[in-house]
Amino acid sequence: MTTRSGAPAQPSERSGAPAQPGTRRTKQRAAISALLADVDDFRTAQQIHDLLREGGESVGLATVYRTLQAMAAAEEVDVIRHEGEQLFRRCHSSEHHHHLVCRSCGHTIEITGPGVTEWAARLGQQHGFRDIDHELELFGLCDKC
Amino acid sequence: MTTRSGAPAQPSERSGAPAQPGTRRTKQRAAISALLADVDDFRTAQQIHDLLREGGESVGLATVYRTLQAMAAAEEVDVIRHEGEQLFRRCHSSEHHHHLVCRSCGHTIEITGPGVTEWAARLGQQHGFRDIDHELELFGLCDKC
DNA sequence: CTTCATGCAAACGCTTTGCACCAGC
DNA sequence: GCTGGTGCAAAGCGTTTGCATGAAG
């Protein structure tokens, strides 16, 4: 990605895929994908790493990070930041949504903000801001915690 | 804070203050306070550190962190986390509010979420969550950026 | 004079990266 | 056999902390 071979041969880039990483099907990616399909709650990269190890599928922590990053870029997983660390989760809805997350076990419920996006856009415009983005997450303790 | 003197003398703790740090009036605290009064935008601890240094008032970075932490605990400053780092700002409203923050210069406008708190509480209750807290901030580019 | 804040540097936790090795295709 | 993913360990970055010094009251 940083270095380029001297040859002027154009990289094998088809039209569809924007040369994102994470193309190749590997055992590690499969393991992470499978785990994410299983665990319906937000988890840190380190937790995912531990869970994989517990499950016998040992994957390097760096790979976990790299894969999650790629999946996040491909919008296959949702990422939220909480207290300095990032939490990952495979979400069901592909539409814009927010989360109600248990701050103890990570149990998550997807929620939709009632008109938050429009509200944010309107408010931004009012104050001369453009390119408005919003962060909205709810945290609490679920009934099991 | 971690180590205690062997003497069993009870710490000089009056009834009012819960032994929070930041009691003593020092030059550094004054400088940080003054700067925060001047700068109306969200700033990282390191930016504040730099600004102090530029202004001639050199304060150790650790002190900046410790002081900001104390001020945050005393609710004298607002803290938000964004992209892994925390931003500090002296806010005008002491009531619950949110922010519209320029992601380039940190310029900030205080906003009130229309019923977000109630909405969050209701939603939490619906799903058996308690002790609900919410994080809501807007980010964009201000007209000067 | 006692106590607590400060400063420095080292430690910390999470995340990213360089590089040699290995596996997809 | 190329290409690109993996693993390890080291580096990076923002933040916290231990400890000796210095200032506040």
Side-chain angles (χ1 to χ4, degrees), chain A residues 57-68:
Chain A
E57 290 279 4
S58 195
V59 180
L61 181 56
T63 300
V64 173
Y65 272 106
R66 277 188 281 234
T67 304
L68 289 173

Side-chain angles (χ1 to χ4, degrees), chain A residues 103 130-131 133 139 145, chain B residues 103 130-131 133 139 141 145:
Chain A
R103 65 177 135 249
R130 58 217 141 82
D131 200 9
D133 194 16
F139 297 94
C145 295
Chain B
R103 64 177 135 250
R130 58 215 140 83
D131 200 8
D133 194 17
F139 297 93
L141 283 173
C145 294

